[in-house]
């Protein structure tokens, strides 16, 4: 074999082995690099997970600490709720009067149609004090002690339910139910007086014949007790609870959730600012008011329905409206077999104290529109009243933090579990 052939065969035989050796050597470090990279990614993922868990725990601890700090003394909550609720009720009383007139109007065509025209009509014909603000005194007598009891019961129930591990949304709903139930003993009698005086308007009212003719709140109380008994002040109690228990539960459930969203949006802890306080409160109250409007219609009809024994001639109406002869429009909450002999076109007269039966009768006679009669004034009233009450509640609580009446350590005893 020539020298040239030997050299050629040497290179041709050695090249593949060198190449494969080179590839083998190159694969080794590459494989080692990939393993290190994977181990690095795994450690990064583990550190990220640990960091996320730490952040989650810190967030939960911070939320618990915020909740502990946001638990004011019960006395502060009760007084703040009392002042806020009473202010909201008095501010929106005229709108509530318009709503009551629309729901209890027995005339066809209805005298009170839209909210603006009804408001203007009552103001022009009957004035402010005995027209738009008829029944404001019993409303005040029931509002202040009622809201004090409500907020005290609500805060107590909410805190204990959440501390017992109950879902927050269930806690808010249940606390709203229990709070309104506790306050109903105070505000239902005032609601009966308020509703009658709102529907009546001024004494000897020539513009609207409601069947009532009381000279004042005291005269109304005496007349009701004398002619119908003390239990008459609790007429419509069941219908009022059917309306107010769901309303309060929904209102505070919506409000608490809306405030949580507002806190996340602002990211500033408890204080979300006056604008968001008003917006969340108004939205919660307005939405709850619309959803419970059918129950409000039934409650108003039961507390103001006409149930005389015989229809009165026109020339006897003035005498029948005199205080000495009693009232021709007593509240009827007797059994479903009660007979109503006077039939006036307009809002349907219920012959039952059953809320479910009343809903069925109204729907059968007036359709879905009957359930939502007066929904416009009710939406305005509940949204503005809720806005005023809850915004003032938060503002007064902040003032109590600066000038406390009692120390926080004396009230709940729950803060220590977060320390």
């Amino acid at each position: 074999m020539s020298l040239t052939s030997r050299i050629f065969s040497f290179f041709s035989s050695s090249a593949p082995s060198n190449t494969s050796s080179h590839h083998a050597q190159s694969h080794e470090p590459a494989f080692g690099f990939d393993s290190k990279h994977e181990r690095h990614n795994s450690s990064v993922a583990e550190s990220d997970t640990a960091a996320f868990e730490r952040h989650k725990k810190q967030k939960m601890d911070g939320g618990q600490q915020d909740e502990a700090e946001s638990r004011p003394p019960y006395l502060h909550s009760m007084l703040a709720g009392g002042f806020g609720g009473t202010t909201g009720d008095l501010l929106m009383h005229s709108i509530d009067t318009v709503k009551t007139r629309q729901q209890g109007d027995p005339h066809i065509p209805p005298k009170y149609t839209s909210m603006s025209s009804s408001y203007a009509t009552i103001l022009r014909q009957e004035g402010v004090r005995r027209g738009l603000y008829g029944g404001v005194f019993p409303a005040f007598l029931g509002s202040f002690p009622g809201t004090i009891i409500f907020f005290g019961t609500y805060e107590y129930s909410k805190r204990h339910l959440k501390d017992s591990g109950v879902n927050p949304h269930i806690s808010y709903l249940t606390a709203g139910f229990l709070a309104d139930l506790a306050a109903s003993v105070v505000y239902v009698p005032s609601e009966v007086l308020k509703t009658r005086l709102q529907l009546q308007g001024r004494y000897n009212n020539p513009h609207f014949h409601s069947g009532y003719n009381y000279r004042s709140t005291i005269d109304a109380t005496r007349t009701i007790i004398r002619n119908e008994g003390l239990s008459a002040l609790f007429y419509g109690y069941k219908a009022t609870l059917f309306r107010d228990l769901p309303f309060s539960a929904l209102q505070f459930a919506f409000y608490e959730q809306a405030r949580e969203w507002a806190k996340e949006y602002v990211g500033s802890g408890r204080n979300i600012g006056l604008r968001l306080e008003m917006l969340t409160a108004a939205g919660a109250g307005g939405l709850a008011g619309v959803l419970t409007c059918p129950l409000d219609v039934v409650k108003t009809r039961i507390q103001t329905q006409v149930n005389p024994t015989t229809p009165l001639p026109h020339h006897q109406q003035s005498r029948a409206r005199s205080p000495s002869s009693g009232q021709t429009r007593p509240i009827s909450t007797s059994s479903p077999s009660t007979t109503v002999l006077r039939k006036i076109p307009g809002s349907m007269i219920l012959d039952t104290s059953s809320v479910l039966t009343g809903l069925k009768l109204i729907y059968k006679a007036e359709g879905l529109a009957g359930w939502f009669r007066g929904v416009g004034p009710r939406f305005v009233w509940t949204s503005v009243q809720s806005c005023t009450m809850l915004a003032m509640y938060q503002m007064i609580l902040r003032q109590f933090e600066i000038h406390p009446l009692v120390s926080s350590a004396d009230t709940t005893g729950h803060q220590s579990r977060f320390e």
Side-chain angles (χ1 to χ4, degrees), residues 231 234-237 302-303 305 331-335 338 352-353:
S231 62
F234 289 89
Y235 281 163
Y237 186 82
I302 288 177
Q303 288 188 327
Q305 59 188 336
I331 297 177
S332 174
T333 55
S334 53
S335 64
T338 302
T352 178
S353 62

Side-chain angles (χ1 to χ4, degrees), residues 28-334:
E28 236 180 302
F31 179 78
F33 175 77
D34 289 343
S35 300
K36 293 178 182 179
H37 184 67
E38 289 177 0
R39 288 195 297 270
H40 175 72
N41 288 341
S42 177
S43 63
V44 170
E46 291 176 359
S47 62
D48 290 344
T49 303
F52 175 76
E53 293 296 332
R54 287 195 302 270
H55 175 71
K56 183 178 179 181
K57 185 177 184 301
Q58 291 174 357
K59 185 176 180 181
M60 291 176 63
D61 293 340
Q64 290 177 337
Q65 185 66 30
D66 289 341
E67 183 180 358
E69 294 176 354
S70 67
R71 289 183 169 184
Y74 287 121
L75 180 61
H76 291 178
S77 296
M78 295 167 72
L79 291 177
F83 286 118
T86 303
T87 302
D89 288 342
L90 297 183
L91 178 65
M92 299 306 298
H93 186 83
S94 59
I95 301 297
D96 186 54
T97 299
V98 173
K99 183 263 304 179
T100 301
R101 291 286 183 94
Q102 287 186 346
Q103 292 179 346
D105 185 1
H107 302 94
I108 285 291
K111 180 175 181 177
Y112 304 109
T113 53
S114 68
M115 185 177 69
S116 58
S117 65
S118 302
Y119 196 98
T121 299
I122 298 172
L123 177 63
R124 183 179 66 255
Q125 294 180 347
E126 305 173 45
V128 175
R129 190 174 69 88
R130 292 301 298 269
L132 290 173
Y133 273 80
V136 69
F137 184 64
F140 171 77
L141 293 179
S143 178
F144 188 70
T147 48
I148 283 180
I149 296 173
F150 179 94
F151 276 91
T153 307
Y154 177 78
E155 285 294 329
Y156 180 86
S157 303
K158 180 184 71 173
R159 296 175 192 182
H160 282 74
L161 286 170
K162 293 181 71 174
D163 290 345
S164 300
V166 179
N167 180 276
H169 301 294
I170 303 298
S171 300
Y172 302 146
L173 284 168
T174 306
F177 266 91
L178 296 176
D180 206 278
L181 182 63
S184 64
V185 180
V186 174
Y187 74 75
V188 168
S190 70
E191 182 77 11
V192 171
L193 294 170
K194 174 187 76 73
T195 303
R196 289 194 180 195
L197 292 172
Q198 281 178 316
L199 196 65
Q200 167 193 309
R202 73 187 205 188
Y203 180 66
N204 285 333
N205 191 350
H207 305 288
F208 185 77
H209 301 288
S210 64
Y212 303 126
N213 201 34
Y214 305 114
R215 295 178 182 273
S216 63
T217 301
I218 296 177
D219 178 58
T221 306
R222 290 174 177 172
T223 303
I224 291 172
I225 295 176
R226 181 176 64 250
N227 295 342
E228 306 170 52
L230 182 62
S231 62
L233 292 176
F234 289 89
Y235 281 163
Y237 186 82
K238 183 170 64 175
T240 303
L241 292 184
F242 264 85
R243 178 198 68 174
D244 289 349
L245 293 186
F247 171 79
S248 296
L250 292 173
Q251 178 190 24
F252 277 83
F254 293 156
Y255 174 66
E256 297 279 8
Q257 183 60 61
R259 288 196 88 242
E260 290 298 324
W261 288 339
K263 289 177 183 178
E264 293 178 2
Y265 175 76
V266 175
S268 61
R270 282 187 60 195
N271 191 3
I272 61 176
L274 180 60
R275 183 177 300 178
L276 283 178
E277 289 284 8
M278 296 175 66
L279 182 62
T280 55
L287 182 57
V290 171
L291 293 176
T292 57
C293 187
L295 301 174
D296 185 50
V297 172
V298 173
K299 170 259 175 192
T300 302
R301 300 282 181 89
I302 288 177
Q303 288 188 327
T304 61
Q305 59 188 336
V306 182
N307 189 23
T309 55
T310 56
L312 296 177
H314 177 73
H315 67 277
Q316 294 181 0
Q317 287 184 359
S318 60
R319 186 170 64 87
R321 291 199 306 270
S322 64
S324 61
S325 61
Q327 304 299 322
T328 63
R329 187 174 181 149
I331 297 177
S332 174
T333 55
S334 53

